[in-house]
């Protein structure tokens, strides 16, 4: 049976709390989100029928600042998944020292089945329904699986209408540039991932030039990660998508693959490659394995077969706690999601800051600030892992929870 992501997130918290000897009162606060909202969104379909979609928003903890986190449009979205993702966002913001707590939202829908007009009505309907609890000072959504900058633009517009016609660019991030988006945001998660891979590879003695990589998921994060890895001289030997995967030991050019997919509508059949399934993908011998799709992909069933030196979690929650223990025992380093994929929320933070200032930075400024923040986060996590002799995941949780605990105490909540 698939692990419930909320149980996984709580187990990860429990393990770090034990190591830190965390005050049980603070531990109890952190085990559950502060606020959750479930909404029903009626949408008029193009054929005149009506569908009612379930939507969710969870705000995990605002001890350090407003909630921040994406909105997912995917058929498997549940309240527990959204809660888990909101917890991971709190810990991620803590690792990066961003002045936020975690939030997450979602709608149970396959966006591929909607027309553009239906997608717009659903996006606006979701924002109108959650508007009472979001806002630039309360909770700032962003894109996640199945959502994109256009959807963020509709949501920003809807929020601005609901609030009486004043434009609120700071209510969501990941917007198109012309309506208050930040340069560098769309590829920030992939760029950040590769910064973390580079720093971890240095410590492990892996030379990126000529190293091999396997990537699961070729969406926003997976494709950007592939492009930045290729720039570092990494050879990408396999890529997996929802509808199939490709393998070529001679290497796959991600830019060319993107061009191919534009025309073919799929990565399948890419010249020079042969098909591969998820089972084979996770057991390929390689230097870097990058899960960049969804949760629960590396499990106790396949963790024993992983033959990578470094697993870089570009997706949120791709490794179950059982699998994590197996990988650690086998000496495989894992850079955890709450650090590895934090480039997205970091540039979202920069976007929000720019929206509030109404002054916009250059792409070079954004990228250099991102580089600084990611390297600083990696250094702190690495140092903590050495000091306590724990995995990078445990160190990341410990660092983040210690910061949160300090804020909670100072605010007098316990
Ligand atoms: P996306 O929708 O752009 O891409 C997800 C990709 O995964 C799709 O291309 C899909 O085909 C593929 N996929 C889905 N199920 C699969 C399966 N079983 N096997 C193989 N491939 C599969 O989403 P994204 O924004 O790239 O997000 C990917 C992951 O990264 C998610 O876990 C998300 O929460 C996380 N993340 C995203 C961001 C961001 O800025 N977009 C930031 C941090 C974390």
């Amino acid at each position: 049976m698939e692990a419930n992501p909320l149980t996984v997130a709580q187990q990860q918290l429990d393990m770090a709390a034990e190591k830190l000897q965390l005050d049980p009162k603070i531990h109890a606060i952190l085990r559950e989100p502060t606020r959750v909202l479930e909404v029903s969104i009626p949408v008029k379909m193009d054929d005149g029928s009506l569908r009612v979609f379930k939507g969710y928003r969870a705000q995990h903890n605002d001890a350090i600042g407003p909630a921040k986190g994406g909105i997912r449009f995917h058929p498997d979205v549940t309240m527990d998944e959204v809660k888990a993702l909101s917890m991971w966002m709190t810990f991620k913001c803590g690792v990066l020292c961003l002045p936020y707590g975690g939030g997450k939202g979602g709608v149970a829908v396959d966006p591929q089945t909607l027309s553009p007009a239906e997608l717009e009505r659903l996006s606006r309907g979701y924002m109108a329904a959650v508007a009472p609890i979001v806002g630039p000072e309360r909770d700032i959504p962003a894109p996640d699986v199945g959502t994109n900058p256009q959807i963020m633009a509709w949501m920003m517009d809807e929020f601005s209408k609901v609030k009486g016609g004043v434009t609120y660019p700071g209510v969501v991030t990941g917007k198109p540039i012309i309506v208050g988006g930040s340069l560098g945001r769309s590829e920030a998660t992939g760029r950040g991932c590769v910064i973390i891979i580079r720093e971890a590879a240095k410590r492990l003695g892996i030379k990126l030039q000529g190293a091999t990589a396997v990537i699961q998921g070729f969406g926003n994060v997976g494709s950007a990660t592939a492009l930045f890895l290729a720039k570092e001289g990494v050879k990408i030997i396999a890529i997996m998508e929802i509808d199939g995967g490709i393998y070529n030991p001679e290497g796959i050019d991600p830019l060319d693959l993107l061009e191919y997919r534009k025309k073919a509508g799929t990565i399948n059949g890419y010249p020079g490659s042969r098909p591969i399934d998820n089972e084979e993908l996770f057991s390929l011998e390689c230097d870097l394995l990058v899960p960049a799709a969804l949760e629960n992909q590396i499990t106790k069933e396949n963790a024993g077969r992983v033959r990578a030196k470094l697993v870089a979690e570009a997706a949120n929650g791709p490794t179950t706690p059982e699998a994590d223990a197996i990988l650690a025992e086998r000496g495989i380093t894992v850079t955890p999601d709450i650090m590895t994929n934090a480039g997205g929320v970091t540039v979202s933070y920069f976007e929000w800051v720019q929206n509030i200032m109404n002054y916009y930075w250059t792409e070079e400024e954004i990228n250099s600030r991102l580089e600084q923040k990611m390297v600083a986060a990696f250094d702190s996590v690495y140092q903590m892992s050495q000091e306590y002799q724990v995995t990078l995941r445990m160190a990341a949780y410990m660092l983040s929870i210690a910061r949160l605990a300090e804020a909670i105490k100072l605010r007098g909540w316990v």
Side-chain angles (χ1 to χ4, degrees):
M1 210 186 77
E2 236 184 38
N4 176 329
L6 180 59
T7 314
V8 171
Q10 287 172 331
Q11 277 173 10
Q12 289 165 338
L13 167 67
D14 295 347
M15 288 189 280
E18 197 185 320
K19 276 261 180 238
L20 276 174
Q21 299 186 318
L22 185 67
D23 179 338
K25 292 187 276 235
I26 295 178
H27 186 184
I29 291 176
L30 294 179
R31 278 192 114 248
E32 289 291 337
T34 305
R35 183 178 293 112
V36 293
L37 179 64
E38 179 178 323
V39 295
S40 292
I41 312 155
V43 175
K44 280 186 190 157
M45 307 305 281
D46 293 347
D47 66 3
S49 65
L50 185 96
R51 276 178 71 186
V52 182
F53 295 91
K54 273 259 169 283
Y56 309 93
R57 186 79 193 164
Q59 297 168 350
H60 175 247
N61 188 281
D62 62 357
I64 292 182
K68 183 88 195 78
I71 297 171
R72 181 173 289 197
F73 283 3
H74 190 277
D76 298 339
V77 164
T78 62
M79 180 57 103
D80 275 0
E81 183 188 54
V82 167
K83 283 183 179 178
L85 288 160
S86 75
M87 285 177 75
W88 285 322
M89 283 306 297
T90 301
F91 302 133
K92 192 182 299 182
C93 293
V95 174
L96 269 288
C97 288
L98 304 179
Y100 288 136
K104 205 79 179 193
V107 177
V109 60
D110 178 357
Q112 304 291 343
T113 62
L114 302 183
S115 71
E118 290 165 346
L119 188 62
E120 176 174 353
R121 290 195 286 274
L122 175 64
S123 305
R124 288 183 181 278
Y126 175 83
M127 179 46 95
V130 301
I133 66 160
V134 304
E137 288 133 10
R138 286 169 165 259
D139 180 1
I140 307 110
D144 190 70
V145 175
T147 53
N148 57 32
Q150 172 62 75
I151 292 177
M152 294 305 115
W154 289 326
M155 289 190 176
M156 183 275 272
D157 185 70
E158 189 64 26
F159 184 83
S160 301
K161 279 186 182 151
V162 169
K163 296 290 168 184
V166 177
T167 296
Y168 284 91
V171 65
V172 291
T173 57
K175 301 178 293 294
I177 307 292
I178 191 72
V179 287
S182 176
L183 294 167
R185 172 62 184 89
S186 56
E187 65 278 18
T189 308
R191 184 184 288 276
C193 251
V194 176
I195 295 171
I196 295 297
I197 290 174
R198 191 192 66 207
E199 294 303 305
K202 270 190 220 160
R203 304 313 197 282
L204 292 170
I206 302 172
K207 258 187 75 200
L208 287 188
Q209 181 71 40
T212 51
V214 165
I215 303 178
Q216 187 203 34
F218 199 58
N220 175 328
V221 177
S223 62
T225 302
L227 290 170
F228 287 115
L229 282 177
K231 269 198 194 157
E232 297 281 340
V234 173
K235 186 160 80 167
I236 296 151
I237 58 169
I239 299 182
M240 188 78 204
E241 267 284 77
I242 183 92
D243 60 344
I246 56 171
Y247 172 64
N248 182 351
E250 301 307 317
I252 297 161
D253 174 353
L255 195 58
D256 193 52
L257 181 62
L258 281 171
E259 288 301 318
Y260 171 84
R261 182 168 66 182
K262 258 192 218 152
K263 290 184 216 118
T266 172
I267 63 168
N268 296 328
Y270 181 64
S273 71
R274 70 157 172 85
I276 188 172
D277 61 16
N278 262 323
E279 202 183 322
E280 189 185 353
L281 183 96
F282 284 118
S283 52
L284 284 175
E285 187 164 0
C286 59
D287 295 301
L288 317 169
L289 173 61
V290 185
L294 292 172
E295 300 91 286
N296 291 328
Q297 299 302 307
I298 306 179
T299 63
K300 63 178 187 302
E301 278 75 37
N302 61 14
R305 291 195 294 273
V306 169
R307 289 192 291 156
K309 294 189 184 120
L310 172 67
V311 175
E313 294 185 334
N316 284 310
T319 313
T320 65
E322 294 91 345
D324 211 26
I326 297 171
L327 295 178
E329 204 171 284
R330 296 184 55 224
I332 298 171
T333 301
V334 178
T335 62
D337 48 3
I338 58 169
M339 166 171 74
T340 312
N341 68 32
V345 69
T346 302
V347 176
S348 270
Y349 165 58
F350 298 157
E351 180 175 333
W352 178 75
V353 168
Q354 293 170 88
N355 292 155
I356 291 169
M357 293 191 299
N358 226 333
Y359 178 79
Y360 288 82
W361 294 326
T362 63
E363 192 158 358
E364 290 70 35
E365 277 176 284
I366 302 281
N367 291 343
S368 95
R369 285 172 200 268
L370 174 65
E371 168 85 23
Q372 273 172 33
K373 278 220 155 281
M374 298 296 296
V375 171
F378 182 89
D379 286 346
S380 314
V381 169
Y382 186 76
Q383 205 182 331
M384 188 97 169
S385 80
Q386 295 288 302
E387 197 178 313
Y388 284 82
Q389 286 300 302
V390 293
T391 62
L392 292 174
R393 185 186 319 277
M394 178 63 84
Y397 272 85
M398 289 168 70
L399 194 74
S400 186
I401 291 167
R403 285 176 179 156
L404 259 171
E406 194 186 345
I408 288 174
K409 275 197 204 124
L410 286 168
R411 290 186 66 162
W413 292 1
V414 292

